[in-house]
Structure formats: C-alpha cells, structure tokens
Amino acid sequence: MRRRPRLLARLPLDPYVLALLATVGLAALLPARGPAATVADGASTAAVALLFFLYGARLSTREALDGLRHWRLHVTVLACTFVLFPLLGLAARGLVPTLLTQPLYSGLLFLCLVPSTVQSSIAFTSIARGNVPAAICAGSFSSLAGIVLTPLLAAGLLGADAGGFSPDSLVRIVVQLLLPFLLGQALRRWVGGFLVRHKKALGYVDRGSILLVVYAAFSAGMAAGVWHLVSLPHLGALLAVEAVLLAVMLLVTWYGAARLGFGREDRIAIQFAGSKKSLAAGLPMASVLFGAQAGLAVLPLMLFHQMQLMVCAVLARRRARDPEAPGGELLPERVAEVSPPAQHPAPQGR
C-alpha cells in the first residue's frame, strides 16, 4: 500500500468532512424526490430532535456552573462568538455581488452566528498546553447559549432568508431544538450514565444523524434548483473571504486577550474557543431555519470547518513549542478528538 505524502499525512483531513462531502455528492446524484423526499424530511426532523436531546443529556450543568469563577474568560469567548463574528459577517455584506452571491453571503453570515465547537477547541488547547478546563467550560457555555442566540440572531440578521420571526419558524425552533435539549437536561440524571458507557456508539448516532440532515437538506436544494447559483469563481472567492475571517479572529483572540490581561494558558483557550465554529451544532440548526435553502446555507460552514481544523492544528503545534510553554505531556485523549462531532452542547464541534 502506498503511503500518503508526508505533507498530506500531517494535515488533519477530517474523515468526517469527507463523509459529508460524499453525502453531498449522493444528494446531487440521487436526490430524494416525491414520497422519498417526504420520508427524508421527516427523518431529518426526527434526527435534529434526537441530536439536541443528546446534547442536553450530555451537558453537565454542575461542571458548567463550576466554571463561572473564570467568568471574564467565558464572557470574552462569548463576545468573540456572538458579537465580533456577527459584526465581521455584517461587514462582508459589501462583498455582494462583486465577490459573493446573496445566497453564499447568507451562508457566510449564518456561519458567523453559530456557537463555538467544544471537542476540537479542547483538543487544540491541550496540544498547545493551554487552560483545558477553561476551554471545556467556554465551549459548553457557547454551545448552550447558541441554542437560543443562534436562531434569534439568524432571524434578526438574515430576515426572510432564515424564516424571519414568523410563528411557524419560532414553533419549529422550540419544538426541534429547545424542547429536546431541555428534555435531555431533565433526564440527564437517569440517562447520563448510559450515554457515558456507550459514548463511542452514540458518536456514530450523532454523526449518522447529521449525515441524514445533510442529505435531506442538499436533496431539497437540488429539487429547488438552488445550485445553479454557485460557480467556481464564487467558491474561490468564498474560500478567500473565509481565510481572511479566520485569520482576523485568530489574531484578535490572541492579541486582544493579551490586552485584556490574560495569561498565556488563558489566551490559548480564548484563541481556540473564540475563533472556531461548530459544524455539529450549525448543520441541524440550518435545516430548521433555512428549509430548502439549507444545503447552500451550510456550504460556507462546511468549508470553514475544515479550514479551521487545518490551520489550528498547525498553530497548536507551534504554540506547544513556545519557549514559555510549560512542560508536561499532552493529553492523548484530547488529541484524538480533533475530528468533530459527537459534540455539543457539550458534544461539538463538536
């Protein structure tokens, strides 16, 4: 068997992203139509509810509350995720229509509204020898806040593209996202142990559910004919814009945290938790908010997810070699979690 070139072997080409791309390809070649589309849509709705039930059942409320003593760090991460990111997304409106089409811009703005990832933030913080407990709490807080803030921000900033504040859209948000999450929290005392014992198997349930959501969303997009709006030049422009967005957030979270007086370990946690976006939380939310347009809306998020993994993996290794980095072994269980999802809120990305 031939080995991959050394450079490619070192890049974190997430197998799950490859599975997502394969699912997109399947939806393009064999989209669900007619009765099959009705079945796929119903299964997707049930999958979203299941995901958010599991998210709620996994989140340890006590651990999250214990982390409140480091409230300045958590407020900083939340501000980066739900204030600075959206402001940069709104600023990108000036790129329409010269660089981005309106649908791609809507997807880019939605990307700026989703919560931070949990698992990869923890993994990269561990690799860089930062404050891992703070990264755990910050990611959990972000995911929890995103259950409410992401739909509200999307409805307010995206307007008709995300369903606006219509009663129907609010009912879908409550029924498919909030109620299952609260039910999971309520039942955590009884089901939490089972979820821990079967974490690996349930990870496949998480990922399989998201693949189903992606297939249904992209099938609906094919049926609605939205993909003729995408061209290779526009995709290239989108990648360039996302690269700039990620670079700005990495710089602001690192140097901004220093200006706020945080130490090295806290700055690492802020950088990795405050600059990333959760694919696992964003995909099901988009299916609820965008309907038939969800496939196109999540494309920027899927591209940004892989980009953030590759860039942050390199950055975390460099941080670990900083002269001021403390000694000690890396946490192998965290390193293994760089691939996203079965995450949040307190899952992620994951």
Side-chain angles (χ1 to χ4, degrees):
M1 175 183 285
R2 293 183 58 190
R3 293 185 177 181
R4 289 194 302 171
R6 180 173 298 181
L7 177 61
L8 291 179
R10 295 184 63 184
L11 292 177
L13 296 174
D14 185 2
Y16 190 62
V17 171
L18 298 180
L20 286 169
L21 294 176
T23 303
V24 172
L26 178 63
L29 294 174
L30 297 172
R33 299 182 184 277
T38 302
V39 172
D41 184 62
S44 174
T45 300
V48 170
L50 175 61
L51 280 171
F52 279 83
F53 171 80
L54 293 175
Y55 292 170
R58 288 192 185 107
L59 178 62
S60 172
T61 306
R62 183 165 61 181
E63 289 180 5
L65 292 176
D66 288 343
L68 284 174
R69 63 181 180 272
H70 212 351
W71 64 270
R72 287 183 64 246
L73 184 148
H74 304 316
V75 169
T76 301
V77 172
L78 289 174
C80 291
T81 303
F82 296 113
V83 178
L84 182 55
F85 252 117
L87 288 176
L88 292 175
L90 290 172
R93 180 67 179 84
L95 302 177
V96 180
T98 53
L99 290 179
L100 300 176
T101 63
Q102 181 59 45
L104 285 180
Y105 168 71
S106 296
L108 179 68
L109 182 54
F110 174 72
L111 145 71
C112 293
L113 307 180
V114 301
S116 174
T117 183
V118 175
Q119 285 177 319
S120 59
S121 295
I122 296 169
F124 290 134
T125 299
S126 175
I127 293 170
R129 298 174 183 173
N131 189 339
V132 174
I136 295 172
C137 291
S140 298
F141 288 147
S142 177
S143 296
L144 180 59
I147 298 294
V148 176
L149 291 180
T150 297
L152 292 179
L153 287 171
L157 299 180
L158 287 165
D161 290 340
F165 280 102
S166 69
D168 181 60
S169 65
L170 292 178
V171 168
R172 289 200 310 270
I173 291 169
V174 171
V175 172
Q176 292 188 53
L177 305 183
L178 187 57
L179 287 183
F181 176 80
L182 294 177
L183 181 62
Q185 276 280 283
L187 297 179
R188 187 180 187 278
R189 177 180 177 184
W190 294 277
V191 303
F194 175 84
L195 296 180
V196 171
R197 291 192 300 272
H198 299 85
K199 180 179 179 180
K200 184 175 181 180
L202 288 171
Y204 291 116
V205 173
D206 276 4
R207 298 183 181 206
S209 298
I210 292 175
L211 291 177
L212 177 58
V213 170
V214 169
Y215 176 76
F218 277 79
S219 290
M222 291 294 296
V226 300
W227 295 107
H228 70 277
L229 301 174
V230 183
S231 66
L232 287 178
H234 283 134
L235 283 179
L238 174 63
L239 284 171
V241 171
E242 291 191 338
V244 172
L245 176 65
L246 179 59
V248 168
M249 290 305 303
L250 288 171
L251 290 171
V252 168
T253 51
W254 182 250
Y255 293 105
R259 293 292 299 271
L260 291 174
F262 289 99
R264 178 189 177 278
E265 293 186 358
D266 288 346
R267 290 170 68 192
I268 288 173
I270 291 171
Q271 184 176 55
F272 288 125
S275 65
K276 291 222 270 322
K277 291 295 184 176
S278 170
L279 185 70
L283 287 176
M285 286 182 179
S287 71
V288 176
L289 295 169
F290 289 92
Q293 302 292 322
L296 195 55
V298 300
L299 181 61
L301 178 59
M302 292 173 63
L303 296 175
F304 188 83
H305 173 83
Q306 182 59 42
M307 185 183 298
Q308 74 186 9
L309 282 182
M310 297 175 70
V311 172
C312 290
V314 174
L315 183 59
R317 295 185 188 111
R318 292 189 61 182
R319 292 271 181 260
R321 295 194 296 268
D322 287 346
E324 65 270 29
E329 296 181 356
L330 302 183
L331 302 180
E333 70 274 14
R334 298 303 184 195
V335 177
E337 288 175 352
V338 256
S339 56
Q343 64 184 46
H344 346 49
Q348 195 127 351
R350 1 319 262 302

